[in-house]
């Protein structure tokens, strides 16, 4: 500015929200079914405040039976993909997740299914 240095001070204020995921429904109860019959439910995975693309992975429980055997009766599928994408309006698109259970052995279970993003949240 014509050899006349001016000093400008800019103050910025903002709020940064941590990425999070919510679910609809927040709890899932699969109906009892006969042995070797699959029961399934859909869950809406609702990501919020993700500013860049991420991918969700799922950890499903393995069950230890009384006789020492271990089974993996749960499976998870994302029919439209597992990527969290930022929409043009600044929101994240919901993901649909199908959780299914099938077992050849009688079992009941109460526990957690973990949804984890690329940042290990």
């Amino acid at each position: 500015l014509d050899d006349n240095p001016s000093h400008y001070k800019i103050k910025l204020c903002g709020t940064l929200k941590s990425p999070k995921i919510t679910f609809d429904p927040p709890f899932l109860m699969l109906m009892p079914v006969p042995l070797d019959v699959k029961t399934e439910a859909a869950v809406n995975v609702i990501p919020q405040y993700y500013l860049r693309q991420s991918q969700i992975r799922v950890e499903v429980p393995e069950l230890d039976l009384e006789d020492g055997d271990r089974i993996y009766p749960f499976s998870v599928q994302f029919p439209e993909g597992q990527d969290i994408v930022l929409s043009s309006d600044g929101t994240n698109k919901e993901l649909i997740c199908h959780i299914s259970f099938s077992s050849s052995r009688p079992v009941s279970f109460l526990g957690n299914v973990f949804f984890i993003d690329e940042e290990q949240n």
Side-chain angles (χ1 to χ4, degrees):
L1 301 169
D2 299 328
D3 296 325
N4 185 8
S6 298
H7 296 281
Y8 294 95
K9 194 183 260 190
I10 298 175
K11 182 177 181 180
L12 301 175
C13 296
T15 303
L16 179 63
K17 296 185 178 185
S18 295
K20 70 177 188 174
I21 298 173
T22 57
F23 303 92
D24 182 30
F27 300 97
L28 185 64
M29 183 181 295
L30 297 172
M31 298 304 298
V33 292
L35 297 178
D36 290 320
V37 173
K38 181 166 73 169
T39 182
E40 183 176 58
V43 175
N44 289 325
V45 179
I46 307 164
Q48 296 174 314
Y49 313 123
Y50 280 84
L51 301 178
R52 61 177 178 254
Q53 183 170 329
S54 188
Q55 190 173 72
I56 297 293
R57 68 179 173 87
V58 182
E59 290 181 0
V60 293
E62 55 189 49
L63 305 181
D64 293 319
L65 302 178
E66 291 178 5
D67 64 1
D69 284 350
R70 179 173 284 173
I71 61 172
Y72 304 87
F74 294 96
S75 64
V76 175
Q77 293 182 337
F78 290 86
E80 298 173 9
Q82 297 172 234
D83 291 333
I84 296 174
V85 178
L86 185 64
S87 300
S88 59
D89 65 357
T91 61
N92 298 119
K93 181 182 172 193
E94 292 185 9
L95 305 173
I96 297 172
C97 177
H98 292 253
I99 299 176
S100 61
F101 174 91
S102 178
S103 177
S104 60
R105 307 273 297 274
V107 66
S108 65
F109 172 77
L110 174 64
N112 296 310
V113 175
F114 293 98
F115 292 77
I116 305 165
D117 67 17
E118 290 179 354
E119 300 294 324
Q120 304 305 310
N121 297 312

